[in-house]
């Protein structure tokens, strides 16, 4: 699979686009992480996982 300028595959870009369109993650957050994607510091799955995590941890 070839990677784009962000270091992501077409499938990863599609997943990010879907996450933004579904309201899971703000587009600004994706844009803020371009260098992290390029440098392999965070994966698409990790970023989506962070933003899709329900804050139910405070329910005891």
């Amino acid at each position: 699979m070839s990677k784009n300028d962000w270091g992501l595959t077409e499938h990863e870009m599609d997943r990010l686009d879907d996450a933004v369109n579904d309201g899971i993650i703000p587009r600004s957050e994706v844009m803020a992480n371009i260098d992290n994607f390029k440098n392999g510091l965070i994966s698409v799955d990790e970023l989506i996982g962070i933003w899709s995590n329900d804050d139910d941890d405070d329910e005891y």
Side-chain angles (χ1 to χ4, degrees):
M1 291 181 152
S2 65
K3 296 191 175 198
N4 64 8
D5 293 340
W6 291 14
L8 301 176
T9 64
E10 184 177 341
H11 175 72
E12 291 170 320
M13 287 299 294
D14 289 343
R15 291 200 59 225
L16 274 179
D17 194 43
D18 288 345
V20 169
N21 291 335
D22 292 345
I24 294 172
I25 184 170
R27 186 168 304 277
S28 60
E29 187 66 24
V30 172
M31 300 306 290
N33 277 284
I34 292 173
D35 285 337
N36 292 332
F37 293 134
K38 285 181 187 177
N39 296 319
L41 298 176
I42 192 166
S43 70
V44 170
D45 288 337
E46 290 171 326
L47 188 62
I48 292 173
I50 290 166
W51 280 87
S52 63
N53 183 16
D54 293 331
D55 290 326
D56 293 338
D57 295 342
D58 55 353
E59 293 180 20
Y60 298 101

